Structures are given as C-alpha cells and as structure tokens.
Amino acid sequence: MRVLVLVKATAESESGALPPDDLLIEMGNFNDELLDAGVLLAGEGLHPSSDGKRVMFDGTQRTVVDGPFDPPESLVAGFWLWQVKDMDEAIAWVKRCPNPMRERSEIEIRPLYEIKELGDAVPPKVAEQERRQRERLAERK
C-alpha cells in the first residue's frame, strides 16, 4: 500500500525558519533508512504558505488567493510518499522518525486510493487510462 505521510506545519515552519543542521542530519539519516528498506518513494520539504497560492473554484470561476494561510497547524510543511505493507508498518516508521520540528509537532498518515480498490465504480476506459498514465510515469524514472 502507498501512503502519503504529511508533516504538519507549525508557527516556526511557517515563519520560513530553516531547521538546525543537527535536525537536517537526523532527517537525512532517517531518509537513508527508508531508502534502504525500500519504503521511500518520494519526499520533500515545502516553503511556507506565504510563498504559496490557492486557487478557489466556484463553477467556471477561478480565483487566486495569495498566502500565507491560517492556521499553521492545518497546513503541510513537508511530505513523504511511502510503499508499506500496511498501516501498522507506516505507523512504526513514523514512530522512528526524529521530531521534524524543534517544537511539538504532528505527522499525519493517509493511504492513497489504488484503482483496484474502486472496483466497478471505475469505468473500464478510466481504468485503462490510469494504467497507461502509470506506465508513462514509470518510464520517466
């Protein structure tokens, strides 16, 4: 199963302050462990929301809203995409993670939908399109 692991933002991460060197080293070591175990598919830190935009949809209307966005704890400061056998394995990995912030922090784990999980709810044409898209993505690697 694939899971998206979301590092929730804090007031400090939203300020744009970079983590101290020792935390960057700890997180780099943790990422090496994830890679060695075949778990890590992708992962990145994000700029604060003050550097971001939101696009609001209302029918055919599109409105762009500049960051920053509030509250910080509802935002994402970074993410990983992991391949794990189940949610228990994902939880075990998160428990091994260094605290990603210098303060109290939170990590959220969300499973990704797999096309096969949706079964008959997905029209065959859409399932085939999904298969082709995954092949194209794999070719980019």
Side-chain angles (χ1 to χ4, degrees), residues 8 11 29 38 43 47 55 59 61 67 69 78 86 91 96 112 114 117 121 132 134:
K8 302 304 279 276
N29 292 338
H47 280 255
V55 179
Q61 298 288 328
F69 307 112
D86 54 29
I91 291 167
R96 293 175 58 181
L112 276 65
E114 302 292 345
E117 287 179 85
R132 284 193 318 271
R134 291 214 179 269

Side-chain angles (χ1 to χ4, degrees), residues 7-21 23-24 45-51 77-78 100-103:
V7 177
K8 302 304 279 276
T10 63
E12 184 176 12
S13 69
E14 276 295 289
S15 77
L18 295 176
D21 289 350
L23 180 54
L24 291 173
L46 302 175
H47 280 255
S49 69
S50 58
D51 293 342
M101 304 292 174
R102 289 187 269 203
E103 57 197 303

Side-chain angles (χ1 to χ4, degrees), residues 64-106:
V64 177
V65 179
D66 295 333
F69 307 112
D70 277 324
E73 58 275 1
S74 71
L75 304 171
V76 176
F79 72 93
W80 288 283
L81 181 61
W82 292 349
Q83 178 72 51
V84 292
K85 67 179 183 209
D86 54 29
M87 186 60 81
D88 288 339
E89 182 183 7
I91 291 167
W93 277 108
V94 169
K95 285 182 173 181
R96 293 175 58 181
C97 180
N99 184 349
M101 304 292 174
R102 289 187 269 203
E103 57 197 303
R104 183 181 171 154
S105 66
E106 182 178 329

